[in-house]
Amino acid sequence: MKIVVIGDALVSSATLVDAAKQIQFPGSDEQIEFKIFEWFSDLKKEQFQEKILEIEKNGPECVPIPDGVNEAMVDADYLLVHIAPVSKSMIESANKLKLIGTCRGGLEHIALDSVRAKKITLIHVIRNAEPVADFTIGLMYAETRNIARAHYEIKHGQWRKSFSNDPYKTILTNHTVGLVGLGYIGKLVAKRLNALGVKVIAFDPFVDKSKIAKEGINVEFLEFDQVIKQADILSLHMRLSPETENMINKDVINKMKPNSYIINTARAGVLNKADLIEALQNKTIAGAALDVSWVEPIEHGDPLLDLDNITLTTHIAGDTIDAIPKAPYLLKNVLNDYFQVGFSDMLIK
């Protein structure tokens, strides 16, 4: 059995190999050959972030793959990566590949059409789901209660007590939170809101509602328009795709309550930037909080920076000391479950 492993600057190949040794692959009694590659593993975090942004924006064909990886793929049985590109040429080279495991949620680094064409199993994990869920709740508090704005004003010599959302300020439990997307992160957000006593409504046409109920998550499922109209806080958790790009646009925002807020810790592209800016300028909604931006870092002079009813953070929702480096062990657990029972929430079809 041959396993190709590609480490990078955030997830080491050594950790991937160690996790792989704990996976019960079918036929794992066979001798395992590891073929190890590195993808910009020598870069510092800030430099590596540039590679991540490039691959997230333009896909796996826009960045170089490690030398020799295509040759190694010819007789590989399994491929384990973090965010290293899994390109069309890699997939086309693979004659025996049974499964790709990637220890991140986004799949921009993988040539999905090629994977589907060759009917290769693809399993991913949301390696920073817990941190993102925590951060999402934090943004709800920060935006609705002006935490970041008050801090900013104090640092600039002002003791500000009045804010643009003053007519709407209330405690979190008085809000109804609408979740668009109830995947792994969305479910964790819902669980936290349940514990806080906050009413949760959701739209997700792909989720198994009975399974959500069996997990003990208290969510009222509604049609998209009803979630938009009823939510005081609209939290976005859908994957960016041609179907979801600019899903939250002027038509949607105009249906929201004037006291409502948008929280986005998913992908910037699910939200129409121009329409959001117009709505915030006109006070169509009360505010927004974004951990993702259409251009990162946000450029000087961007109209987002002139708004007084938005909280902006630097794409750090998933950035904790343990979430990403330990992601291979989460992938190990998911793969062991998959090999044992034959299905997984993280299976990409």
Side-chain angles (χ1 to χ4, degrees):
M1 180 188 303
K2 181 176 179 180
I3 301 174
V4 172
V5 169
I6 309 178
D8 58 47
L10 298 182
V11 174
S12 72
S13 57
T15 305
L16 280 165
V17 169
D18 184 61
K21 290 178 179 178
Q22 301 172 48
I23 298 172
Q24 300 301 310
F25 293 102
S28 56
D29 53 336
E30 302 174 20
Q31 184 175 353
I32 297 177
E33 174 193 356
F34 286 100
K35 188 67 176 177
I36 299 170
F37 295 90
E38 304 294 338
W39 189 68
F40 294 110
S41 298
D42 57 338
L43 292 184
K44 293 184 177 179
K45 184 176 180 180
E46 294 76 14
Q47 296 172 306
F48 191 67
Q49 287 297 326
E50 295 177 7
K51 299 297 180 184
I52 293 176
L53 289 174
E54 187 175 359
I55 203 169
E56 286 184 340
K57 184 176 180 179
N58 299 310
E61 312 305 325
C62 74
V63 291
I65 61 175
D67 291 340
V69 72
N70 278 346
E71 291 77 7
M73 291 296 297
V74 172
D75 58 348
D77 296 287
Y78 298 97
L79 170 64
L80 301 179
V81 304
H82 169 230
I83 197 172
V86 181
S87 67
K88 182 179 179 180
S89 65
M90 289 170 60
I91 300 301
E92 290 178 345
S93 298
N95 297 321
K96 297 175 53 183
L97 195 64
K98 302 176 181 68
L99 180 144
I100 300 167
T102 178
C103 46
R104 70 186 303 265
L107 298 170
E108 300 92 341
H109 61 304
I110 297 176
L112 293 175
D113 288 343
S114 298
V115 171
R116 292 188 180 107
K118 295 195 75 167
K119 298 181 180 179
I120 298 169
T121 300
L122 171 59
I123 289 181
H124 72 148
V125 295
I126 316 296
R127 80 272 202 267
N128 52 8
E130 295 278 357
V132 173
D134 283 349
F135 201 89
T136 300
I137 301 296
L139 286 181
M140 292 180 188
Y141 279 116
E143 177 56 30
T144 62
R145 298 299 305 279
N146 304 297
I147 295 171
R149 279 187 282 279
H151 171 79
Y152 175 86
E153 297 291 357
I154 291 170
K155 297 280 281 187
H156 288 80
Q158 302 298 316
W159 195 255
R160 185 177 175 186
K161 303 280 283 185
S162 179
F163 302 92
S164 67
N165 65 346
D166 281 353
Y168 311 121
K169 282 189 299 188
T170 186
I171 59 175
L172 191 62
T173 51
N174 285 340
H175 291 292
T176 293
V177 174
L179 304 178
V180 182
L182 206 68
Y184 198 45
I185 293 175
K187 287 195 296 184
L188 291 174
V189 173
K191 287 180 180 180
R192 284 159 170 74
L193 292 169
N194 286 170
L196 291 167
V198 180
K199 180 179 179 181
V200 182
I201 59 179
F203 170 78
D204 191 326
F206 305 106
V207 75
D208 184 338
K209 298 178 179 60
S210 63
K211 186 175 180 181
I212 296 296
K214 287 178 182 178
E215 292 182 44
I217 303 173
N218 186 14
V219 175
E220 180 183 359
F221 286 95
L222 299 172
E223 293 300 317
F224 181 65
D225 270 7
Q226 291 304 308
V227 171
I228 298 303
K229 292 175 181 178
Q230 294 183 30
D232 300 301
I233 299 173
L234 186 69
S235 191
L236 308 180
H237 300 285
M238 57 284 218
R239 184 179 298 149
L240 180 61
S241 68
E243 292 74 30
T244 62
E245 187 170 11
N246 291 318
M247 184 176 179
I248 309 302
N249 53 34
K250 179 184 292 188
D251 291 339
V252 171
I253 294 171
N254 285 342
K255 295 176 183 177
M256 296 175 66
K257 300 176 182 180
N259 65 307
S260 61
Y261 302 84
I262 294 174
I263 310 294
N264 191 10
T265 53
R267 289 285 187 263
V270 302
L271 182 57
N272 185 288
K273 181 180 180 180
D275 293 350
L276 174 67
I277 290 172
E278 181 181 356
L280 293 174
Q281 289 172 337
N282 295 334
K283 306 295 193 296
T284 304
I285 57 175
L290 314 178
D291 183 53
V292 288
S293 181
W294 296 264
V295 175
E296 296 183 13
I298 296 174
E299 297 173 324
H300 179 73
D302 192 303
L304 288 169
L305 303 177
D306 295 326
L307 296 168
D308 190 42
N309 51 356
I310 193 168
T311 299
L312 301 170
T313 54
T314 55
H315 206 161
I316 54 173
D319 190 7
T320 60
I321 60 171
D322 50 357
I324 294 177
K326 293 183 179 178
Y329 299 105
L330 178 58
L331 179 62
K332 176 258 298 185
N333 293 336
V334 171
L335 285 176
N336 279 335
D337 288 344
Y338 172 73
F339 289 133
Q340 181 177 359
V341 301
F343 65 88
S344 170
D345 285 345
M346 303 303 177
L347 177 63
I348 302 299
K349 298 179 181 178

